[in-house]
């Protein structure tokens, strides 16, 4: 870094938008102090003057800053210390349950900050992370660690915490987790002995607290517990602003078409947003099918056609549930093109604007009146930056540059005979 990061920008100069337009963007604080887009103009020719409040984005593609809608910052980056076997969801749950007993609050906080910082470097200025109620004598240490990490990351990114409730955890402990810093109720009812009863319990607790809910739903490919329909039915009457989210929903991807159409119509009416998690679910699902292996992916195209809000995220990163992951929303967008057959502009929308919408965040990006949350990536076109995912990026949160990454390539010169 050759100069300190500026505090608040007034202009993004010469940026290329996904539609190819090259623009200058003016930023002003709104009445509440949030940095917002005041105007988008065709880029001046010759370019305007660069001062301390202007960033020169000539040669960059400008996106709405991504939001990570489904992280597990408490589990992230634990692969090396836990040394789990490669395997499916059941194996991963077993490894984590056993290994997490030994992890201290300090470990949770350090890994959470490291994983969140990697997401920020790659452009995400908002993260929703699940955090387990843990086994052992101090079950809320992961949630407290994420709350502490949030305090340390304030001003760089917004972090929202979902308490991931095991079915054996009593209601009182869930309330304690919400008191300790969790913002939403979460859980994985499909692994409970009575998935419908667990869904009802978690919805009831969220209602009692007047908070949103984000459930892991049907993270499997065969059979059905009917939890998504039950979830939709129980939240359909909730007020419009209260967030309700279903992550994974892998079973939708293998469901017969008629059954799927009926269920998706119900989901669309319920206000539930669905989060697709291609990287982790392609790893976790399908281990029992060595040939014609099914894709562990929710029915992304059918959900969009049915009018259900859809986001996509990275989920687990280098932990027992997923040995890989770059904490890069552009990696997830690229995967949506290959695995869900989405066009690039829609794939990018699912990790940027639509991810923000599913999280209930205000509109952001290059629209008049929207919040000044941006990711600029060195490149020529939208597909260029998704295909190559260059590390050269500038990230803007609330109108200020919060991260700059630059790479330097040198290739040796060889004498070439004509
Ligand atoms: Zn998850």
């Amino acid at each position: 870094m050759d100069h300190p990061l500026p505090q608040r920008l007034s202009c993004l100069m010469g940026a290329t938008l996904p539609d190819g337009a090259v623009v200058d963007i003016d930023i002003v604080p709104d009445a509440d102090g949030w940095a917002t887009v005041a105007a988008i103009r065709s880029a001046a020719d010759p370019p305007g003057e660069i001062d301390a409040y202007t960033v020169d984005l000539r040669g960059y593609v400008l996106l709405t800053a991504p939001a990570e809608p489904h992280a597990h910052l408490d589990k992230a980056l634990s692969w090396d210390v836990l040394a789990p076997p490669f395997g499916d969801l059941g194996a991963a749950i077993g490894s984590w349950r056993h290994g997490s007993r030994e992890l201290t609050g300090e470990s949770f906080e350090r890994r959470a900050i490291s994983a969140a910082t990697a997401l920020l470097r790659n452009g995400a200025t908002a993260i929703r992370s699940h955090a387990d109620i843990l086994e052992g004598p101090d079950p809320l240490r992961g949630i407290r660690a994420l709350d502490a990490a949030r305090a340390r990351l304030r001003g760089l990114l917004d972090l929202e915490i979902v308490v991931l409730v095991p079915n054996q955890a009593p209601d009182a402990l869930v309330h304690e987790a919400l008191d300790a810093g969790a913002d939403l109720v979460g859980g994985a009812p499909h692994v409970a002995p009575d998935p419908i009863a667990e869904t009802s319990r978690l919805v009831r607790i969220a209602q009692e607290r007047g908070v949103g809910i984000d459930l892991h739903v049907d993270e499997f490919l065969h059979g059905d517990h009917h939890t998504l329909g039950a979830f939709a039915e129980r939240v359909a009457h909730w007020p419009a602003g209260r967030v309700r989210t279903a992550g994974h929903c892998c079973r939708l991807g293998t469901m017969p078409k008629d059954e799927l159409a009926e269920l998706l119509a119900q989901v669309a009416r319920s206000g539930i947003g669905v989060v697709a998690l291609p990287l982790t679910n392609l790893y976790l699902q399908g281990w029992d099918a060595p040939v014609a292996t099914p894709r562990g992916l929710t029915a992304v195209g059918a959900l969009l056609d049915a009018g259900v809000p859809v986001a996509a995220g990275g989920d687990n990163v280098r932990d027992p549930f997923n040995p890989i992951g770059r904490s890069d929303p552009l990696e997830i967008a690229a995967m949506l093109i290959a695995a869900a057959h989405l066009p690039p502009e829609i794939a990018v929308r699912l990790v940027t604007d639509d991810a923000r919408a599913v999280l209930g965040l205000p509109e952001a990006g290059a629209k008049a009146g929207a919040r000044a949350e941006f990711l600029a990536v060195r490149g020529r076109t939208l597909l260029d930056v998704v295909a190559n995912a260059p590390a050269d990026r500038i990230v803007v949160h609330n109108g200020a540059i919060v991260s700059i990454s630059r790479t330097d390539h040198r290739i040796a010169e060889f004498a070439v005979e004509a």
Side-chain angles (χ1 to χ4, degrees):
M1 204 74 59
D2 39 32
H3 57 78
L5 301 181
Q7 277 309 294
R8 190 61 85 81
L9 296 166
S10 60
C11 183
L12 312 179
M13 195 187 83
T16 302
L17 296 180
D19 66 5
V22 181
V23 297
D24 296 334
I25 295 178
D26 297 326
I27 297 171
V28 294
D30 71 6
D32 298 319
W34 295 106
T36 55
V37 171
I40 303 160
R41 299 173 277 110
S42 249
D45 186 23
E49 195 182 316
I50 296 176
D51 59 20
Y53 304 98
T54 298
V55 59
D56 183 357
L57 295 181
R58 286 174 292 174
Y60 285 83
V61 174
L62 188 67
L63 309 175
T64 303
E68 171 52 64
H70 186 122
H72 288 267
L73 298 180
D74 57 340
K75 298 183 172 98
L77 310 179
S78 62
W79 177 278
D80 290 343
V81 55
L82 299 181
F86 284 93
D88 64 8
L89 180 60
I93 290 173
S95 296
W96 172 251
R97 208 170 257 167
H98 177 76
S100 60
R101 290 186 196 137
E102 307 298 322
L103 299 174
T104 62
E106 187 276 333
S107 163
F108 282 103
E109 185 176 334
R110 177 172 36 80
R111 288 180 294 100
I113 287 175
S114 187
T117 307
L119 278 163
L120 176 69
R121 189 172 62 232
N122 287 322
T125 61
I127 301 171
R128 179 185 288 174
S129 177
H130 299 256
D132 282 24
I133 289 181
L134 297 156
E135 294 189 7
D138 184 6
L140 300 183
R141 68 190 186 284
I143 287 167
R144 288 199 310 273
L146 258 63
D147 190 44
R150 169 164 54 193
R152 289 181 57 189
L153 293 163
R154 191 157 288 140
L156 297 175
L157 56 84
D158 298 320
L159 175 58
E160 198 173 33
I161 303 168
V162 186
V163 51
L164 180 42
V165 180
N167 65 279
Q168 70 275 14
D171 289 11
L173 192 53
V174 184
H175 285 285
E176 276 180 49
L178 291 162
D179 293 338
D183 306 288
L184 294 93
V185 173
H190 64 96
V191 295
D194 184 343
I196 304 282
E198 182 64 355
T199 302
S200 302
R201 177 174 86 109
L202 296 170
V203 171
R204 174 178 52 73
I205 295 172
Q207 272 173 205
E208 284 167 8
R209 294 290 290 236
V211 299
I213 188 164
D214 186 336
L215 298 180
H216 285 59
V217 175
D218 296 351
E219 197 174 353
F220 53 80
L221 298 177
H222 307 293
D224 200 353
H225 300 318
H226 305 286
T227 49
L228 183 54
F231 182 26
E233 188 191 316
R234 281 155 184 72
V235 296
H237 68 281
W238 276 18
R242 195 184 299 162
V243 167
R244 62 216 81 166
T245 309
H248 299 289
C249 299
C250 305
R251 175 58 178 138
L252 295 180
T254 56
M255 197 171 267
K257 257 185 164 180
D258 295 354
E259 210 180 315
L260 183 66
E262 200 178 314
L263 180 55
L264 293 191
Q266 187 190 3
V267 173
R269 288 193 300 273
S270 72
I272 288 176
V274 170
V275 181
L277 301 158
L279 182 58
T280 295
N281 283 133
L282 284 172
Y283 171 70
L284 286 175
Q285 262 65 46
W287 284 75
D288 54 351
V291 295
T293 309
R295 296 176 189 209
L297 196 63
T298 193
V300 177
L303 283 159
L304 290 169
D305 290 346
V308 177
V310 182
D315 202 6
N316 298 86
V317 175
R318 302 190 52 226
D319 65 26
F321 297 77
N322 179 16
I324 54 171
R326 294 201 312 265
S327 300
D328 183 0
L330 291 184
E331 177 184 33
I332 303 306
M335 190 153 285
L336 289 171
I337 294 171
H341 298 164
L342 294 187
E345 58 278 11
I346 296 183
V348 169
R349 219 179 63 197
L350 261 56
V351 299
T352 57
D353 300 289
D354 292 2
R356 288 179 176 273
V358 166
L359 294 180
L361 297 171
E363 192 169 50
K367 285 146 275 182
R371 295 272 174 89
E373 304 282 330
F374 290 103
L375 165 62
V377 189
R378 173 77 72 184
R380 296 173 294 106
T381 65
L382 183 73
L383 188 54
D384 176 31
V385 300
V386 175
N388 292 307
D392 288 53
R393 303 185 191 195
I394 297 175
V395 184
V396 174
H397 174 50
N398 196 21
I401 294 179
V402 286
S403 174
I404 298 176
S405 302
R406 292 195 184 111
T407 53
D408 178 25
H409 300 290
R410 284 190 289 170
I411 295 175
E413 289 177 24
F414 293 88
V416 179
E417 291 193 17

